[in-house]
Amino acid sequence: MPDRADPHASNRSPAREAELQDEFLQEKLLAEEGVHPRMRLTRVHVRLGRRFVSVWWLLGVAAGLGAIVVGAAKLYAASSAGSRFLTQHACVPTSPPVPAGMPAFVRWTHLLTFFFLVIIVRSGLQVLADHPRLYTKVHCTPGHEWLRFRGPVPRDRVWTAKEDTITLSPLVGLPGGRHTIGVARHWHFSFDILFVAIGIVYMVFLFSTPWLHRLVPTHTAIVPGAASCAVTYLSLHFPRGASGYLRYDALQQLTYFAVIFLLAPLAILTGLAMSPALDNRHRWYPRLFGNRQVARSIHFLVMVAFVVFFIGHMALVALTGFARNLNDITLGTNRDNLDGFAIWTAVIALVITFNVWAVRFSWTHTRVLQRVSNLTVGRLMDRLFDHSAPRVQYRREDISPYFWPNHARMPDSPEWRALASDDFRAYRLKVHGLVENPVELSMEQIRAFGKQEQITLHHCIQGWSGIAEWGGLPFAELIELVRPAPEVEWVMFYSFAAGGEGGGRYYDSHSIHDLRHPQSLLAYEMNGERLPILHGRPLRLRVENQLGFKHVKWISEIEFVHHFRERYAGQGGYNEDHEFFGYRDEI
Ligand SMILES: Nc1nc2c(c(=O)[nH]1)N[C@H]1C(S)=C(S)[C@@H](COP(=O)(O)O)O[C@H]1N2
Ligand SMILES: [Mo]
C-alpha cells in the first residue's frame, strides 16, 4: 500500500468521484461554447484530385444522375426491348411462400438488430468526430484525406489531433456534445457485442430452418430478375400488396442477402482491422483491406450503406402496403389492420427514449458506463488479444512523412524547463515501487544499455495512424535490472506534462505482461534522430499492442505497483480517470 507521502496515492472516494464527474460535465459545457467547431454539413468536403469540394456539390450531382437514371428506366420500360425483357423476367416474388407468416426468430432479431444498429451508428459517428478525416494511406498526412468534416489543418502552428476534434449534436452522435471518444467507444463496443450475438442467433436459426432458401440465392435467374425489379422500381412502379414483404422478389432477396452476408461481416472485419494488437501482430490482417485507414474508410462507408439501405427499405415498406408489411414483420400475420403499425410506432418511441436516456446517462453516470464496459468489452478484448506479442516491422521507406502530434498539454513545469535548458544532463529517470532494486538513471546510463530499433505503426484511439522508427531501451531489460516483487501486475508511467487543462499529471499504466513484449520500448530516438520535444523528449513509451494514449510522453518516473487501482482515481490512467476511457485498449 502507498505511504502517506506518496504524491500518486489513491484518492478514490465518493467525493472525488463526484468531482471528476462534475468536471467532465463542466468541460463539455465549456467546450460547446466554441473550442471545437460543430459539425456542419456545409463543411463536409470530398477531395477530387487536389481540390476539396463540398459534399453538397456531390449530392447535387448524385441527385441529377438519379433523375437521369429514373428517366432512362422509364424510357426503357416503355420501349419494346424493355417491355420484352420485363415480361420475360417479371419482377414477381421468387422466394417460396411461407404459409405460417414471418417466423418469430426473424421478427425478433430484425427488431433488435435495428435497435443495436441505431446505437452503433450514432456512437460510431461520435468516434469519427474525434478525428473527422478519412484517408486511403496509412500515414494520415493533412491535405491527403479523401473526406473531411472540417477545414484544412492549420500549417502555421502545432496542431494536435485533440484540437482537430469536432462537436456533434446529440441528435447525431452518442452522446453528442464535446468529443468524448471513451464514452462513445463504451456504447459502440458494448452494442457491437450484442450485434454479433444476435447475428449468431440469427444464423443458427437461419441455417436450421427453410428460411435459408428465401435468403440465399441459388439460381442465376436471380440476376436478370433483380435487374427487372430495378427497372420496375426505378421507373417508379411499386408492386403493391400481393408481393409485399412476405414473399421476396429477386432484387429484395439479393439486397437482404448482401446486407446480411456482406455489409454486416465487412463492418465487423474492418472494425477489427483498426486494432493495434491485431495489426502489429499479423501484418496480413489489415492488408486484407489495404491498410488501417482503408479499413477505417470502408467501416465508414459500410455505415453509410446501412443508412442508405434503411432509408430505401423504409420507403419501399411504405410504398408497397405499409400496414400489411408492418403486420408481417411485427406479428407475422399478413392482415391489413393497424396492429403492426401500432407496434412499430411503439418500438420507434422506445428506441428514441432509450437514446435520450443514453445521452443523459453518458454525462451523469459516466463511471457506471465505464465499469460495465470494462467488465464486458474490456475482459473480452483481453481474452482475445492478450496473448500475442506485437512483432510486425515496417521498412524504412514506409515511414510516414507526417506524424500527428497529440496531447492536451506540453510539459511546462519549471522542473522540466530547467532540465530541457541543460539538455537533460541532470535528468534522472526514477524507477521505484515494488522492486528489489530501485534506480535513478541518467540518459547516459539509459543509452549505455544498448539500443533497440523498430519501425512500427502507431494507432491513435481517435483514428489517425503513422509509421515511425523508434530507438530506445527494451523495457524487459529495465524489468530485469530492478527485479519487481512477485505481486507486481501493473507499472505506472508518470509524465512531466499535465493531462488536461485542469492540471494533474498525465500518467498511464501497463500490465507487466505487455511490457515484457520484445517491442515494448522506452524510446529516446524517433526516425534515427533524437526524440523531438513534441513527441516526448527525453523519454516516451512504445507498447505496440496498445493504442497511442497509453504511450506516455515526457516520462518523469516509473513505478511498479500491484494494481493501478491504488493510484489516483484508480481507473488506470489520466484518460481513464478523467475521460472515462477503457483501462486497456487492444482495439
Ligand atoms: N504526457 C502525455 N503523453 C501522451 C499524451 C498526452 O496527452 N500527454 N497523448 C497520448 C496520445 S493520445 C497519443 S496518440 C500519443 C501521440 O504521440 P505523438 O504526439 O508522438 O504522435 O501520445 C500519447 N502520450
Ligand atoms: Mo491518441
Side-chain angles (χ1 to χ4, degrees):
M1 273 280 121
D3 57 73
R4 276 173 175 281
D6 187 339
H8 315 301
S10 167
N11 53 7
R12 293 168 86 185
S13 70
R16 178 65 182 146
E17 280 300 305
E19 222 173 85
L20 286 169
Q21 183 72 66
D22 193 52
E23 264 170 34
F24 190 57
L25 187 61
Q26 289 310 316
E27 258 192 57
K28 166 197 185 244
L29 299 174
L30 275 179
E32 277 165 17
E33 282 168 19
V35 184
H36 309 283
R38 245 163 252 278
M39 194 195 90
R40 294 236 162 75
L41 280 176
T42 48
R43 261 194 233 124
V44 183
H45 283 77
V46 180
R47 186 165 59 84
L48 295 178
R50 287 165 158 234
R51 287 194 33 212
F52 282 86
V53 299
S54 168
V55 82
W56 286 110
W57 196 84
L58 276 195
L59 288 177
V61 172
L65 282 177
I68 292 172
V69 169
V70 167
K74 278 184 170 294
L75 281 179
Y76 179 68
S79 72
S80 59
S83 63
R84 226 177 306 128
F85 178 75
L86 291 178
T87 29
Q88 207 175 357
H89 308 277
C91 180
V92 291
T94 47
S95 65
V98 262
M102 200 73 92
F105 90 87
V106 174
R107 292 185 271 124
W108 280 101
T109 53
H110 178 263
L111 185 145
L112 288 170
T113 305
F114 165 70
F115 169 44
F116 298 164
L117 273 178
V118 170
I119 304 291
I120 291 172
V121 168
R122 281 166 43 70
S123 55
L125 288 167
Q126 185 69 59
V127 169
L128 179 65
D130 247 72
H131 192 70
R133 306 177 190 272
L134 292 170
Y135 312 82
T136 51
K137 289 203 177 131
V138 80
H139 308 304
C140 307
T141 312
H144 289 244
E145 59 270 43
W146 68 267
L147 182 67
R148 68 188 188 201
F149 295 80
R150 61 172 304 165
V153 171
R155 300 282 185 153
D156 55 343
R157 47 164 297 194
V158 171
W159 185 251
T160 64
K162 287 221 165 68
E163 289 167 286
D164 204 48
T165 57
I166 54 172
T167 302
L168 288 184
S169 156
L171 291 175
V172 179
L174 176 62
R178 165 186 178 259
H179 77 103
T180 171
I181 194 165
V183 173
R185 284 164 58 96
H186 295 318
W187 288 112
H188 199 68
F189 292 148
S190 313
F191 278 76
D192 281 351
I193 294 176
L194 294 173
F195 177 76
V196 170
I198 203 77
I200 292 171
V201 170
Y202 176 83
M203 288 298 165
V204 167
F205 275 99
L206 185 67
F207 282 92
S208 53
T209 60
W211 196 255
L212 185 67
H213 307 302
R214 296 173 49 89
L215 199 67
V216 181
T218 47
H219 206 285
T220 50
I222 194 151
V223 176
S228 159
C229 289
V231 172
T232 310
Y233 292 141
L234 285 172
S235 57
L236 306 182
H237 295 296
F238 303 102
R240 221 187 128 84
S243 62
Y245 275 76
L246 203 49
R247 294 189 62 195
Y248 301 158
D249 66 39
L251 184 60
Q252 214 178 347
Q253 188 182 354
L254 215 56
T255 308
Y256 296 167
F257 177 77
V259 167
I260 294 166
F261 285 94
L262 202 73
L263 285 191
L266 205 52
I268 297 164
L269 296 177
T270 52
L272 288 172
M274 292 182 255
S275 147
L278 206 57
D279 287 6
N280 282 335
R281 170 78 184 185
H282 303 291
R283 181 77 176 85
W284 62 267
Y285 190 72
R287 265 203 188 131
L288 289 179
F289 308 98
N291 60 56
R292 185 191 196 223
Q293 293 304 328
V294 175
R296 182 167 169 261
S297 294
I298 296 175
H299 199 68
F300 170 80
L301 290 172
V302 166
M303 181 280 294
V304 173
F306 266 119
V307 172
V308 169
F309 166 75
F310 173 74
I311 294 168
H313 183 55
M314 282 317 298
L316 284 166
V317 166
L319 287 167
T320 58
F322 202 39
R324 192 188 287 265
N325 290 335
L326 290 179
N327 276 328
D328 280 341
I329 195 61
T330 55
L331 295 165
T333 64
N334 196 22
R335 301 211 189 94
D336 234 341
N337 61 27
L338 288 178
D339 294 357
F341 179 73
I343 293 177
W344 180 78
T345 312
V347 167
I348 300 285
L350 268 177
V351 171
I352 292 174
T353 310
F354 182 88
N355 275 273
V356 171
W357 171 83
V359 168
R360 281 187 57 100
F361 191 79
S362 298
W363 294 108
T364 57
H365 293 75
T366 325
R367 198 65 88 203
V368 178
L369 187 67
Q370 180 192 27
R371 290 230 167 91
V372 172
S373 171
N374 276 349
L375 285 174
T376 52
V377 177
R379 293 263 168 103
L380 187 69
M381 268 195 208
D382 285 354
R383 274 278 153 86
L384 291 176
F385 297 113
D386 201 15
H387 301 288
S388 34
R391 61 180 175 197
V392 169
Q393 289 271 3
Y394 287 80
R395 296 163 308 167
R396 272 238 156 78
E397 321 66 288
D398 299 327
I399 290 176
S400 298
Y402 180 90
F403 200 93
W404 279 79
N406 208 12
H407 45 260
R409 294 280 294 271
M410 293 277 289
D412 54 8
S413 66
E415 187 193 4
W416 185 86
R417 277 195 210 177
L419 290 171
S421 67
D422 185 34
D423 241 352
F424 295 93
R425 268 185 277 273
Y427 172 76
R428 295 291 176 273
L429 171 69
K430 197 172 159 216
V431 189
H432 61 114
L434 302 174
V435 293
E436 273 178 42
N437 179 33
V439 291
E440 294 200 4
L441 301 172
S442 68
M443 282 310 295
E444 214 167 285
Q445 286 170 307
I446 291 170
R447 279 199 204 91
F449 272 104
K451 180 175 71 182
Q452 174 176 311
E453 287 173 345
Q454 63 198 41
I455 304 176
T456 52
L457 178 62
H458 179 95
H459 298 62
C460 173
I461 192 169
Q462 295 175 251
W464 61 271
S465 47
I467 298 169
E469 180 178 31
W470 304 99
L473 166 66
F475 203 84
E477 287 193 30
L478 194 67
I479 295 178
E480 212 172 288
L481 176 74
V482 299
R483 297 192 301 276
E487 66 265 35
V488 168
E489 285 173 26
W490 294 86
V491 183
M492 314 295 303
F493 295 83
Y494 304 102
S495 174
F496 283 110
E501 298 309 320
R505 282 183 177 206
Y506 193 92
Y507 66 99
D508 216 306
S509 58
H510 288 272
S511 74
I512 192 146
H513 174 81
D514 279 356
L515 291 168
R516 286 201 167 105
H517 289 158
Q519 283 193 343
S520 293
L521 276 194
L522 272 178
Y524 46 79
E525 282 181 8
M526 181 184 187
N527 297 335
E529 281 168 27
R530 219 173 140 200
L531 184 65
I533 287 181
L534 195 58
H535 295 287
R537 188 179 302 175
L539 279 178
R540 64 134 349 123
L541 257 181
R542 298 302 310 167
V543 181
E544 307 292 354
N545 58 323
Q546 296 285 327
L547 288 173
F549 76 89
K550 309 228 34 140
H551 301 199
V552 178
K553 303 195 284 189
W554 311 292
I555 296 173
S556 66
E557 59 179 289
I558 299 173
E559 184 189 21
F560 287 68
V561 296
H562 169 58
H563 202 282
F564 59 70
R565 276 193 295 269
E566 299 151 10
R567 290 294 172 268
Y568 295 108
Q571 300 299 323
Y574 186 90
N575 282 306
E576 292 88 330
D577 281 351
H578 295 257
E579 296 285 323
F580 304 88
F581 282 21
Y583 66 97
R584 241 176 136 233
D585 279 300
E586 294 100 341
I587 295 185

